[in-house]
Amino acid sequence: MNILLDAGSGGRASMRLIHDLFFKYFENDILVKMDDAAYLEVQSPITMSTDSYTVSPLFFKGGNIGTLAIHGTVNDISMLGARPKYISCGFIIEEGFSLEELEQIVISMAQAAKEAGVKIVTGDTKVVTKGACDKIFINTTGIGEIIKPECEYGSPSGANAKVGDVILLSGTMGDHGLTVMAERENLSFVSDIQSDSANLNYMIEQLMLEVKDIHVLRDPTRGGVATTLNEIAEQSKVRCVLYEEKLPVHENVRSGASILGIDPLYLANEGKLLCFVPKEKAEHALQVMKADKCGKEAAIIGEVVALPEGKNGQVVLQTKMGGMRLLTMLEGAPLPRIC
């Protein structure tokens, strides 16, 4: 059975889709009121994030567009040191899209939201004519409450990196980006990898409550670790130095990326975070990460040093041979549609 244009008309077909599919799996006390907006209980300053998901293929090893939408939104909300609470979901569906596949996506979204402890409280559905979109696009907005631990610099921010900080990465690089590329292009030489897409909110909450002095938290999605670090370096006007021998990469990702001529530092991640902390807090932060199921391969990968005069921000890699390599932001789009 496929989705018809009637399902986006606002009439009985729309109501059937909403009640028989979305309410069936997303049901909660706020959503079922069916008001034009959701009435939310918020007790502290909030974080808010919005994103749109257009990944191709829709289903991949380790997840699908639905899990990606929830994980990505939960993680973005959390990166300012917040506890995610509520999510909205808007669906743009191409006429003729499989209802069975839509149900699989919705089921996985409901499970991911439940795992994160968030409620999907409002949404929208549009059905467009065949060819007007590529199967399905999902837009989300998330809201979270600031956790507010004792921290000299307040909430984590890309502008808070300080000279002397240590840089940690919560796990291996490039798993998501290479997985999506391999499945899209049927790359037989890339095997035994899957997306790292996951909720990171519980790890972040423990970092905020236990380590406290967290200067920066960022998830290195599009553009990978190198591009994200360049953004932070420019925001904070510092130099980030990475140690090649410390960078965690699964060997199959390393070899697959090498064959394709892609540096894992620029591959997308959907279940990893970068964390900047004072040097004296680094080991504690590392242990907190490793105690979480998503952080078992966490590592200290670099440090923050003073920026050379005349620079706005800089990222360099100290190679295994002892040389220094400048890492710039990603240019072009070597891997489109990864999220």
Side-chain angles (χ1 to χ4, degrees), residues 205-227:
E205 183 162 348
Q206 290 307 116
L207 285 168
M208 295 300 296
L209 294 175
E210 293 189 30
V211 183
K212 298 182 180 178
D213 287 324
I214 308 296
H215 293 172
V216 181
L217 288 172
R218 288 288 297 275
D219 54 341
T221 52
R222 286 177 295 181
V225 168
T227 296

Side-chain angles (χ1 to χ4, degrees), residues 279-331:
K279 185 175 182 179
E280 64 272 15
K281 298 290 185 76
E283 284 299 328
H284 188 188
L286 182 64
Q287 294 311 310
V288 170
M289 284 184 178
K290 285 180 173 291
D292 188 276
K293 64 180 181 180
C294 295
K296 295 187 183 303
E297 296 175 284
I300 293 172
I301 64 168
E303 62 180 322
V304 178
V305 300
L307 187 66
E309 188 175 348
K311 301 294 183 180
N312 292 323
Q314 196 177 69
V315 181
V316 296
L317 178 71
Q318 183 173 304
T319 68
K320 294 177 181 178
M321 300 296 293
M324 300 296 282
R325 170 187 157 203
L326 183 65
L327 298 176
T328 60
M329 279 195 177
L330 177 68
E331 290 284 353

Side-chain angles (χ1 to χ4, degrees), residues 77-97:
I77 298 167
S78 303
M79 291 300 157
L80 264 69
R83 185 177 295 114
K85 298 275 289 182
Y86 306 112
I87 291 178
S88 73
C89 290
F91 296 84
I92 299 177
I93 306 168
E94 183 183 28
E95 175 190 13
F97 185 63

Side-chain angles (χ1 to χ4, degrees), residues 45-289:
I46 67 170
T47 61
M48 182 177 178
S49 178
T50 189
D51 209 340
S52 298
Y53 297 85
T54 64
V55 66
S56 176
L58 298 178
F59 296 86
F60 45 84
K61 291 179 182 177
N64 60 56
I65 190 172
T67 54
L68 197 61
I70 298 300
H71 294 158
T73 307
V74 164
N75 294 343
D76 283 347
I77 298 167
S78 303
M79 291 300 157
L80 264 69
R83 185 177 295 114
K85 298 275 289 182
Y86 306 112
I87 291 178
S88 73
C89 290
F91 296 84
I92 299 177
I93 306 168
E94 183 183 28
E95 175 190 13
F97 185 63
S98 164
L99 183 60
E100 180 181 352
E101 289 190 350
L102 179 59
E103 184 172 25
Q104 291 178 48
I105 290 167
V106 170
I107 289 171
S108 67
M109 291 178 74
Q111 181 60 37
K114 181 179 179 181
E115 290 171 356
V118 301
K119 292 181 178 181
I120 298 171
V121 294
T122 189
D124 181 55
T125 305
K126 295 291 188 295
V127 180
V128 297
T129 55
K130 195 165 186 64
C133 82
D134 186 4
K135 298 179 182 177
I136 182 171
F137 298 157
I138 301 175
N139 173 266
T140 59
T141 295
I143 292 175
E145 295 179 333
I146 296 292
I147 297 170
K148 289 190 333 205
E150 298 172 8
C151 182
E152 180 183 353
Y153 301 104
S155 293
S157 168
N160 283 349
K162 309 296 179 186
V163 173
D165 279 356
V166 169
I167 305 170
L168 298 94
L169 179 63
S170 65
T172 54
M173 301 186 300
D175 298 337
H176 177 74
L178 197 61
T179 295
V180 172
M181 175 177 272
E183 297 204 19
R184 180 188 301 147
E185 305 298 337
N186 295 313
L187 303 179
S188 59
F189 59 84
V190 177
S191 60
D192 300 324
I193 64 168
Q194 67 174 35
S195 170
D196 60 348
S197 184
N199 294 314
L200 299 175
N201 55 311
Y202 296 118
M203 180 194 296
I204 290 171
E205 183 162 348
Q206 290 307 116
L207 285 168
M208 295 300 296
L209 294 175
E210 293 189 30
V211 183
K212 298 182 180 178
D213 287 324
I214 308 296
H215 293 172
V216 181
L217 288 172
R218 288 288 297 275
D219 54 341
T221 52
R222 286 177 295 181
V225 168
T227 296
T228 302
L229 285 174
N230 269 280
E231 293 171 356
I232 295 167
E234 289 189 8
Q235 284 179 270
S236 295
K237 294 180 173 50
V238 294
R239 189 186 209 196
C240 298
V241 179
L242 303 185
Y243 303 113
E244 186 177 29
E245 63 182 13
K246 302 289 186 182
L247 296 174
V249 186
H250 287 144
E251 189 53 43
N252 47 8
V253 172
R254 190 190 308 277
S255 60
S258 177
I259 292 171
L260 294 167
I262 299 173
D263 189 333
L265 277 160
Y266 291 94
L267 280 171
N269 312 273
E270 289 292 344
K272 302 300 189 310
L273 64 83
L274 288 160
C275 176
F276 288 53
V277 296
K279 185 175 182 179
E280 64 272 15
K281 298 290 185 76
E283 284 299 328
H284 188 188
L286 182 64
Q287 294 311 310
V288 170
M289 284 184 178

